[in-house]
Amino acid sequence: MKILGVVGSNRKHGNTSGLVKAALQAAEKENADTSTNFSRDYLIQDCVGCEGSKDTMRCAIKDDMQKLYPLLLEADGIILGSPTYFYNITSTMKAFIDRCYCFEAFAGDDQASWDALHEALGIKYAVVIAVCEQHDEADMGFTAEAMIKPLEALGYRIISTIKAIGYFKAGEALQDERAVEDARNAGKRLARTISLRKEVEKMQQ
């Protein structure tokens, strides 16, 4: 089983990356093969709405996103993490998510009739981790939802959503045992759900 971690933070040793890594480490203990990827390390252009993927389900823009597409297709699950920037996800995470639009298929010119590649080939699973420096969850704004809704549209079932509030200084969240435990439990639950999926598939063979 493969689980892909994507961190939308500009700090490689910050709170978001720390919690995503904690979740991935817990998944590894459940025999998952994991990888951590920082969106800032990739040159990802904005989606331009060209519909170039309409007939191929392959993005027409040739940049570093082409390195991530194979990882997304191979992975059984994904863990997305982003800090809150002005009530929303970071720009690099937004660019990454928007460029996954190529995995959507539409019936001719009827945009109301659509399906996602992951739904057609078999649903996948995800964990979302959102971090905010303020202590009121309302100040997180749309951060978690900005990751949840696109993932659902892409054919992912959200196993866990973590909203970590009150963390700003790098590594601060890792000093909070509850936050770390929440991340670990999310990673463990994700891996176990994927394992269960594979067991169910064997039952039907």
Side-chain angles (χ1 to χ4, degrees):
M1 121 187 55
K2 293 186 178 182
I3 297 176
L4 180 69
V6 180
V7 182
S9 175
N10 289 312
R11 300 194 298 188
K12 289 198 171 184
H13 302 287
N15 297 307
T16 304
S17 62
L19 293 179
V20 170
K21 288 177 181 178
L24 290 170
Q25 288 167 0
E28 288 171 3
K29 291 182 178 179
E30 300 292 327
N31 300 313
D33 179 11
T34 73
S35 66
T36 306
N37 301 270
F38 289 82
S39 55
R40 59 166 285 184
D41 289 341
Y42 297 86
L43 294 175
I44 303 175
Q45 298 180 45
D46 294 336
C47 175
V48 295
C50 68
E51 299 291 343
S53 60
K54 184 176 181 180
D55 297 322
T56 63
M57 300 193 81
R58 295 177 183 274
C59 184
I61 300 174
K62 306 303 180 185
D63 59 8
D64 284 350
M65 194 65 191
Q66 299 297 334
K67 300 175 183 178
L68 290 170
Y69 286 136
L71 302 181
L72 284 164
L73 292 172
E74 292 172 3
D76 301 290
I78 189 170
I79 299 177
L80 291 190
S82 177
T84 298
Y85 276 26
F86 210 12
Y87 304 100
N88 214 320
I89 55 178
T90 62
S91 60
T92 56
M93 176 59 78
K94 183 67 166 69
F96 165 79
I97 290 175
D98 284 353
R99 292 286 300 285
C100 290
Y101 176 77
C102 63
F103 291 145
E104 301 282 5
F106 299 90
D109 294 326
D110 181 9
Q111 295 292 104
S113 300
W114 61 276
D115 196 9
L117 179 63
H118 297 325
E119 284 187 304
L121 300 181
I123 193 169
K124 295 191 176 187
Y125 305 91
V127 165
V128 165
I129 299 176
V131 179
C132 179
E133 68 174 292
Q134 281 79 21
H135 294 268
D136 187 342
E137 187 178 310
D139 290 319
M140 182 174 282
F142 311 102
T143 307
E145 287 70 19
M147 292 182 278
I148 291 171
K149 297 301 289 183
L151 284 173
E152 289 178 337
L154 289 166
Y156 288 89
R157 188 176 113 203
I158 310 300
I159 301 301
S160 298
T161 300
I162 296 174
K163 294 183 177 182
I165 61 174
Y167 307 113
F168 178 70
K169 294 181 180 178
E172 198 171 21
L174 296 183
Q175 305 304 313
D176 187 332
E177 293 183 6
R178 187 183 68 177
V180 174
E181 189 63 19
D182 286 345
R184 288 173 178 162
N185 286 336
K188 178 172 65 176
R189 192 175 302 119
L190 176 62
R192 289 185 174 180
T193 302
I194 295 170
S195 293
L196 178 60
R197 158 72 178 272
K198 295 183 181 297
E199 289 178 16
V200 172
E201 288 176 343
K202 289 180 181 179
M203 293 178 192
Q204 302 304 312
Q205 292 177 355

